[in-house]
Amino acid sequence: MSAPHRRARRRVLAATTGLVVAVGALVPATTAATAHPGSDHAETATFDKVPLVTEGLADPFELDVADDGRVVYIQRTGQVVVLDQETLRQSTALDLDYSLDLLQQSDGLLGLTLDDDFTENGWLYLLWSDPDVARMNLSRFTMGPDDTIDPASEKRLLDFTIWRGEGRANSHMAGSLAMGPDGDLYVATGDNSDPFDQAGYTPIDEREGRRAWDAQGTSANTNDLRGKVLRITPQDDGTYTVPEGNLFAPGTEGTRPEIYGMGFRNPFRITVDPGTGAVLIGDYGPDARVADPLRGPEGQVEFIRMTEPGNHGWPYCHADNQPYIDYDFATGVSGEPFDCAHPVNESPNNTGLRELPPSQEPLVWYGYGVSEEFPELGSGGAAPMGGPVYRFDPELDVKTKFPESFDGHWFVSEYARNFYKVLSLDETTGELASIEPFLEGETFVAPFEAEFGPDGSLYVIDFGLGRGAGRGSTNTDAGIYRIDYAADGRRPISRFTADVDSGPEPLTVAFDGGTSESPDGLDITYEWDFENDGVVDSTQATPTHTYTERGQFSARLTVTDSEGFTGVSVQKITAGNTRPDVSFGAPFHGGFAELGDTVDYAVDVDDPEDGSTGAGTIDCELVTVNTQLGHDTHAHPLDNYTGCSGSVFLDPADHGVGQNVYPVLGAGYEDLGADGVPALAGQDVIHLQVRDKEAEFYADSSGVTVADGTEARGGRLVTDADHGDWIAFGPVDLRGIDALTVGAVRGAADATVEVRVGSPTGRKLGQVRVDAATAAGQVVSPSIDLPDQQGETTLYLVVRSKQEPADGANLGLDWLVFHGRGVADATAPVVTAEAGRGGVRAGGPVDLSGSAVAPEGREIVAYQWDLGDGTTADGASVTHVYEEPGRYTARLIATDSEGTRDWTTVRLTVRG
């Protein structure tokens, strides 16, 4: 059957699936005047957020919706799951059963799309990591009528080699799949290059043995399938053909004909406009917060609309064709900027063409700050998620379908900034017409995936926090939702809690549906089905039910308003097995450790059926610990470990200067289950604090602003800090920390910075004085000793000034450095340093010298002095001139061959 016929049948089938489930109400705010003002929609559109899955998700990655209303979604941990929207029952169709070792970085089950004839043939396409060989597989599987997939049904379309196990190359794997209106299959692949050893700029390391650090061998290689968008046409026999019009004609030497687009870093989400066939992409960028004339532009990300094949520049150019610098990693010498109009790939890792097609500009690009071109996108972490284009079908008889005013609009989201936006385009010229907010009044933890279903509703994945990493690990607050247009009023919201969700039978559970509501203020009634078997067991708001038989049940609450609209929510209740309690005994939440440190851990497990770690009855091989690199509001998966105790290495994972990165640890345990009762999992997640911290990454503040500063470390700092203003960091646990250095920019008046805990008026640990400046931009770095402080708290830096507020201090706070090992062990360089004899006067030289001893089996590879006045110098010994009087802390940082660093300080009082 031709693709147009398949699409037409999907529309007819969709008209029969007027699905109604639990909802919440969303109303987009009015669009403010912006650089791209929105077109007025005919409706003051009101939408309902329908929760479909809100528990037990482990890295939900991609979804699709069948013509009959089934939602099929995948989890990176290896499961293909089918959701029945009417009952909210779920079944696992296929489990690739990945080992803990494979689920490091971004390996796993990454891509899913359904065949256009899925309801008849059961075909679906998966992109997945091969567990036995370092490669990615693109396969077609067949789902049977019982919603299960026989692994033997696999038809392998293609595969390609990856650099698994070489550095952190498997951090950017992309993986999104999409079907085009002509029956073509589109495949997004990442550059498979280690992103952490380039100071946040471009990975073009051509040294021998460093192929996994060179995206010229992948994204810029015309003979490689990585860093690409592929376009192929699947055939009924499980093979594929290459359609006409890809980037390289079949048979062109040094090329792969499957390539439709190249020059991508991590095209994490793609979709195809069913109306025009345009390919829509959200592509990630590197992490440098500031541009460097010797390396290239600041890190930026892209939304791309492709209507024809092309090269999109990476790793030579990014954003609006801003070129990187041809940097020699062997010599440390910078060459010329790359030519975006005529890129040339001269890498020894290139197996394709030397001369490449010109770099194409994206539709939208932005970095960490507010974009001059696209201010509607705000500021913060940059993580674009390309979503679908809506196409209104006037023949579709479903009241909840999106209105016609959204026809042709591109729905995108931002994983780090937690928003959805709607982009409208002039489809004749391809120019951007407007960027408008969507679901602005709704909170999302981490928008991740979006697809329109055949019913005209938008289906989304909220990734939540944390990650799925083997037994017992799930994402906190993750969910799968349906967004309906509420043409006839908003539906009631079904919510309930249970005082327990598991325990020995008979299990008595007290349910409370009192928080359910009608957003329109209508009366609601309750129907409880405690076993989700179609029988109404109670109509009370707060019933109690006893489960007398062993098993896992799905308690279901349906609320109905006086207009007849309903909302549904479900929760699993397990009788005959108790969920284990898992917690970190060490390290402690908020403790300090630098990336590159080694940290000892201990996990406590208490399970009524299996026993406890304290009693020695838990199988510690079933206890998992994972490390993650926290980055702004999300985290990258790193390594997995097993055992009740041990040590983890916090990979340095260099993102460049001024990044908001920090360690995250997760622990999980899945119990052994019981007769006729499934296993249950428990987990704990803790965040650690880095000892070297940018002031602008505070958790809370009062009275201050954050501004760009060309002289600031990382390019930004906290400014306008006057009397009574404060910034706060938390949670922190200061055990193992004995001192604090404050990097301050002196203001117009004398000021004192107080260090307090608990609140801005809480116990004072100490204070530092910052004298008034005699010229602009003067940086000082006073230090204070910190008394022993036990337990989790919030740390406040409070500014005090004797000046009246109108003539305030206007102090700037650039960075903080905490001294001491914190929760890290002693596996780090031991550093000593001293200043030359004699007093230090402004304008005069001071000699600073030091040395370091590396841990056994390592060597010291770098020394750097942070001189405390906004300057740095390389080498163990330096001579420096402090131009202005003040209190300074010079810090000698030594880095060993594993990337672990530590430091010591020399406190200096420079007199006039």
Side-chain angles (χ1 to χ4, degrees):
M1 180 180 291
S2 67
H5 285 99
R6 288 196 296 264
R7 292 291 172 183
R9 195 185 64 258
R10 290 195 73 164
R11 289 196 293 270
V12 172
L13 289 170
T16 68
T17 60
L19 306 171
V20 177
V21 248
V23 297
L26 306 169
V27 183
T30 302
T31 303
T34 63
H36 301 88
S39 57
D40 292 333
H41 291 299
E43 300 82 1
T44 56
T46 298
F47 292 87
D48 286 334
K49 178 184 176 184
V50 181
L52 302 177
V53 184
T54 56
E55 61 178 347
L57 293 168
D59 286 11
F61 240 59
E62 199 160 32
L63 62 78
D64 204 349
V65 187
D67 295 330
D68 56 15
R70 285 176 293 169
V71 177
V72 183
Y73 68 91
I74 60 171
Q75 304 195 119
R76 187 180 68 90
T77 48
Q79 298 80 33
V80 179
V81 184
V82 181
L83 170 72
D84 181 330
Q85 290 196 66
E86 293 187 357
T87 64
L88 300 188
R89 292 192 184 98
Q90 300 180 72
S91 58
T92 299
L94 175 69
D95 191 344
L96 297 175
D97 195 24
Y98 283 128
S99 68
L100 196 64
D101 288 343
L102 185 132
L103 290 172
Q104 304 188 71
Q105 301 175 69
S106 296
D107 265 316
L109 176 54
L110 305 183
L112 159 78
T113 194
L114 304 181
D115 188 82
D116 286 332
D117 289 327
F118 172 76
T119 53
E120 283 76 36
N121 59 31
W123 292 348
L124 69 163
Y125 301 93
L126 302 178
L127 185 69
W128 53 290
S129 299
D130 195 300
D132 302 314
V133 182
R135 70 184 179 204
M136 296 298 300
N137 300 323
L138 176 67
S139 304
R140 189 190 78 195
F141 288 87
T142 301
M143 184 179 294
D146 59 351
D147 287 346
T148 63
I149 296 172
D150 183 350
S153 70
E154 181 198 359
K155 297 290 186 180
R156 183 76 52 84
L157 277 74
L158 61 80
D159 54 49
F160 54 91
T161 299
I162 57 176
W163 301 150
R164 182 186 300 157
E166 298 185 37
R168 296 288 183 189
N170 279 26
S171 294
H172 290 151
M173 304 301 293
S176 181
L177 303 181
M179 293 298 297
D182 295 325
D184 292 333
L185 176 62
Y186 292 79
V187 185
T189 66
D191 75 354
N192 194 204
S193 299
D194 188 311
F196 298 129
D197 281 350
Q198 295 87 32
Y201 297 98
T202 189
I204 51 172
D205 190 343
E206 299 176 358
R207 290 175 292 178
E208 186 176 354
R210 301 280 290 182
R211 66 179 183 178
W213 287 260
D214 183 13
Q216 297 174 106
T218 59
S219 294
N221 187 346
T222 61
N223 200 31
D224 192 281
L225 296 183
R226 290 167 292 181
K228 309 294 193 298
V229 170
L230 314 178
R231 183 175 68 165
I232 61 175
T233 307
Q235 302 298 303
D236 288 351
D237 62 358
T239 62
Y240 71 88
T241 58
V242 175
E244 294 183 2
N246 277 356
L247 188 56
F248 305 108
T252 304
E253 186 176 357
T255 69
R256 290 293 298 263
E258 300 91 344
I259 297 171
Y260 181 73
M262 63 177 290
F264 300 106
R265 184 179 188 246
N266 193 27
F268 197 74
R269 282 290 169 264
I270 64 169
T271 191
V272 182
D273 182 347
T276 65
V279 181
L280 293 310
I281 305 164
D283 191 24
Y284 281 59
D287 298 301
R289 293 245 171 195
V290 294
D292 185 337
L294 298 179
R295 300 296 300 277
E298 65 174 305
Q300 297 177 81
V301 299
E302 304 176 344
F303 284 117
I304 298 166
R305 181 176 185 264
M306 295 182 66
T307 56
E308 59 184 18
N311 174 23
H312 289 265
W314 182 257
Y316 302 122
C317 304
H318 214 51
D320 55 332
N321 273 347
Q322 298 178 32
Y324 285 98
I325 307 302
D326 191 1
Y327 179 76
D328 189 325
F329 280 79
T331 64
V333 174
S334 295
E336 297 298 317
F338 291 109
D339 185 347
C340 300
H342 303 92
V344 176
N345 187 348
E346 298 182 307
S347 169
N349 298 306
N350 179 33
T351 62
L353 300 178
R354 178 178 177 273
E355 297 184 6
L356 306 180
S359 176
Q360 305 298 309
E361 291 191 13
L363 180 71
V364 173
W365 63 94
Y366 60 97
Y368 290 98
V370 176
S371 166
E372 292 184 9
E373 295 85 359
F374 311 101
E376 300 92 340
L377 299 176
S379 63
M385 293 294 187
V389 173
Y390 178 63
R391 290 296 171 182
F392 179 77
D393 183 356
E395 299 178 5
L396 178 62
D397 186 18
V398 177
K399 290 184 178 181
T400 53
K401 68 182 180 183
F402 273 43
E404 187 174 6
S405 59
F406 286 103
D407 182 62
H409 286 52
W410 183 16
F411 288 73
V412 302
S413 63
E414 235 291 346
Y415 176 62
R417 301 182 189 182
N418 305 327
F419 63 59
Y420 281 87
K421 300 284 186 182
V422 180
L423 279 57
S424 61
L425 305 166
D426 182 324
E427 294 183 354
T428 301
T429 65
E431 293 181 356
L432 179 68
S434 68
I435 301 176
E436 303 173 76
F438 182 65
L439 308 181
E440 194 174 30
E442 178 60 33
T443 299
F444 288 91
V445 180
F448 199 75
E449 155 78 334
E451 299 287 348
F452 275 102
D455 53 358
S457 290
L458 182 67
Y459 292 76
V460 304
I461 292 177
D462 190 333
F463 193 73
L465 301 174
R467 57 176 288 212
R471 299 171 63 96
S473 297
T474 56
N475 300 53
T476 304
D477 295 327
I480 298 176
Y481 303 91
R482 194 183 72 236
I483 311 300
D484 290 339
Y485 176 52
D488 296 327
R490 294 170 293 181
R491 302 180 184 277
I493 303 169
S494 174
R495 302 190 194 98
F496 71 92
T497 59
D499 63 341
V500 294
D501 71 349
S502 64
E505 84 288 355
L507 178 66
T508 299
V509 182
F511 294 96
D512 187 350
T515 58
S516 298
E517 62 173 327
S518 164
D520 293 338
L522 303 177
D523 292 334
I524 58 174
T525 57
Y526 303 83
E527 290 185 349
W528 294 88
D529 180 354
F530 297 124
E531 298 179 6
N532 204 1
D533 57 3
V535 177
V536 176
D537 299 306
S538 174
T539 58
Q540 299 176 3
T542 57
T544 297
H545 180 72
T546 299
Y547 293 88
T548 58
E549 297 183 0
R550 299 164 63 84
Q552 190 170 75
F553 307 91
S554 185
R556 173 185 173 103
L557 171 62
T558 302
V559 294
T560 305
D561 67 22
S562 55
E563 298 291 334
F565 288 112
T566 61
V568 178
S569 58
V570 297
Q571 182 176 335
K572 290 179 181 177
I573 304 294
T574 305
N577 187 23
T578 310
R579 188 177 303 280
D581 180 71
V582 178
S583 62
F584 276 101
F588 26 84
H589 189 47
F592 282 81
E594 196 71 1
L595 295 169
D597 282 340
T598 300
V599 174
D600 295 332
Y601 74 85
V603 178
D604 298 324
V605 178
D606 189 359
D607 184 273
E609 289 80 26
D610 297 358
S612 67
T613 49
T617 52
I618 293 294
D619 182 355
C620 288
E621 288 298 312
L622 301 182
V623 176
T624 63
V625 171
N626 63 77
T627 59
Q628 305 165 49
L629 177 69
H631 183 201
D632 296 321
T633 58
H634 58 281
H636 303 286
L638 291 175
D639 296 316
N640 296 321
Y641 301 79
T642 59
C644 298
S645 61
S647 60
V648 297
F649 179 66
L650 306 176
D651 194 294
D654 173 36
H655 270 55
V657 175
Q659 288 292 329
N660 184 20
V661 291
Y662 48 91
V664 178
L665 271 63
Y669 172 74
E670 186 176 77
D671 67 20
L672 302 178
D675 263 349
V677 185
L680 294 174
Q683 66 178 1
D684 189 22
V685 177
I686 61 172
H687 291 200
L688 302 181
Q689 298 280 358
V690 292
R691 295 182 287 134
D692 194 340
K693 183 179 292 291
E694 294 293 318
E696 62 267 25
F697 298 138
Y698 52 71
D700 198 2
S701 69
S702 176
V704 302
T705 59
V706 175
D708 294 335
T710 56
E711 300 301 320
R713 194 182 75 170
R716 307 194 84 200
L717 76 164
V718 175
T719 62
D720 296 330
D722 294 323
H723 180 74
D725 295 343
W726 51 265
I727 59 175
F729 299 87
V732 302
D733 194 313
L734 292 168
R735 279 177 281 189
I737 297 297
D738 54 33
L740 168 65
T741 299
V742 178
V745 180
R746 291 156 65 171
D750 292 345
T752 298
V753 179
E754 298 177 344
V755 181
R756 296 180 178 269
V757 291
S759 76
T761 58
R763 184 164 76 92
K764 185 167 70 173
L765 302 184
Q767 63 183 37
V768 293
R769 178 181 172 83
V770 180
D771 296 330
T774 58
Q778 295 174 2
V779 177
V780 291
S781 51
S783 293
I784 60 171
D785 295 324
L786 297 177
D788 184 52
Q789 172 74 29
Q790 299 287 321
E792 185 179 317
T793 187
T794 302
L795 190 73
Y796 289 81
L797 273 65
V798 184
V799 176
R800 302 293 181 194
S801 174
K802 295 181 180 180
Q803 301 290 323
E804 294 296 324
D807 302 310
N810 291 315
L811 181 73
L813 298 172
D814 192 0
W815 47 264
L816 310 175
V817 173
F818 295 85
H819 306 290
R821 294 296 296 158
V823 298
D825 70 9
T827 310
V830 178
V831 191
T832 58
E834 62 181 1
R837 295 184 178 181
V840 183
R841 291 197 169 274
V846 57
D847 294 325
L848 298 164
S849 61
S851 62
V853 177
E856 184 176 356
R858 305 184 188 182
E859 59 180 344
I860 302 298
V861 296
Y863 288 98
Q864 185 181 61
W865 281 94
D866 180 347
L867 295 159
D869 62 350
T871 64
T872 61
D874 293 328
S877 300
V878 299
T879 298
H880 185 63
V881 174
Y882 291 90
E883 299 293 347
E884 297 293 334
R887 295 171 59 195
Y888 300 90
T889 303
R891 181 168 59 122
L892 177 59
I893 307 164
T895 304
D896 68 23
S897 49
E898 291 296 317
T900 301
R901 64 180 197 155
D902 208 347
W903 53 78
T904 192
T905 60
V906 178
R907 299 185 187 183
L908 302 166
T909 299
V910 178
R911 307 189 183 282

